[in-house]
Amino acid sequence: MRVRKLTFVTLAVAAGLSLTACQNDDDAAGQPAPSSASSASSAGGGSGSGGSDQDSGKGAAGTTSGGKDTAAGSGSDSSGKAPKCTTDGLKITAQDTFIDGDPDGSVAVGLTNGSGADCVISGFAGVDLKTDAGDISATRKGDPGDPYILRNGKEIDFNVSYPLNESGGSGVRVTGLVVTPPNETKSVTLAWPGKGTLPVTDGSGAPVTVGPIGSAGQGG
């Protein structure tokens, strides 16, 4: 009789355990599985985490730009604008551009950017003719126009006009050409490539004139 009671108890316990296991299985089947977004977020950077994407995106952008303003080109200053052209960064040359039949003599002055970076130039250069009667400052003529970005290695020209000596006399001998780039104080002295003399004048004759940067060949 005792053996039978123990058998019944054992069977009851086993049945209880089996029922509990079945219920646990049913509960587990009814619960949603952990989302892939949560798992990915826990793993560090899944597509389900908007915050992670934004943070990682900022980091990627920072790495790409390296903390520098990529809009600022080579040779630009901290404001993103090219610096002005300087006398030391320019190669300055002059050549005679007079053509027979022209009413005035003309010389084209070339400014070549040799600074290694782009620069901005605009307005008028200072021009003085050195003569045996003293220096003659050229008068500005024309519209200065907009600032111009002179690329490294490129040239821009301007025109110098002067009266021809047709008097038959010896005139005023020109010995040199002094050029000061716009917004600069340092000058360069060149050999004068034009006609050798200017007419002697009491101030009523045609003046020596200088056109704006970019004026050579434009009647400046």
Side-chain angles (χ1 to χ4, degrees):
M1 190 67 177
R2 181 178 178 81
V3 172
R4 184 173 294 178
K5 287 181 178 181
L6 288 175
T7 300
F8 286 151
V9 171
T10 301
L11 291 174
V13 171
L17 292 174
S18 176
L19 180 58
T20 300
C22 289
Q23 290 176 344
N24 288 340
D25 290 342
D26 291 341
D27 290 342
Q31 294 291 331
S35 67
S36 58
S38 299
S39 299
S41 176
S42 299
S47 60
S49 174
S52 296
D53 282 350
Q54 292 173 0
D55 291 342
S56 62
K58 290 178 181 177
T63 301
T64 301
S65 66
K68 296 181 180 179
D69 180 6
T70 56
S74 174
S76 300
D77 60 20
S78 59
S79 65
K81 297 179 181 179
K84 73 171 185 177
C85 299
T86 64
T87 303
D88 289 337
L90 295 170
K91 178 183 178 182
I92 304 176
T93 58
Q95 62 177 336
D96 183 17
T97 52
F98 172 75
I99 299 175
D100 287 339
D102 286 350
D104 297 308
S106 60
V107 167
V109 178
L111 307 174
T112 301
N113 182 5
S115 67
D118 299 345
C119 61
V120 174
I121 193 167
S122 63
F124 291 86
V127 170
D128 294 282
L129 271 59
K130 298 180 74 66
T131 77
D132 58 2
D135 292 353
I136 298 175
S137 295
T139 301
R140 295 178 177 182
K141 179 182 178 181
D143 184 355
D146 296 326
Y148 180 83
I149 296 179
L150 184 59
R151 303 296 182 187
N152 183 47
K154 298 299 182 180
E155 177 180 338
I156 193 167
D157 306 306
F158 65 87
N159 189 66
V160 177
S161 295
Y162 60 94
L164 298 172
N165 181 18
E166 298 175 332
S167 65
S170 59
V172 177
R173 187 167 62 90
V174 184
T175 60
L177 173 65
V178 182
V179 178
T180 308
N183 303 308
E184 281 287 278
T185 57
K186 185 176 181 179
S187 302
V188 173
T189 300
L190 307 172
W192 173 247
K195 301 296 183 181
T197 62
L198 303 177
V200 176
T201 177
D202 58 3
S204 61
V208 176
T209 62
V210 54
I213 296 297
S215 66
Q218 300 175 7

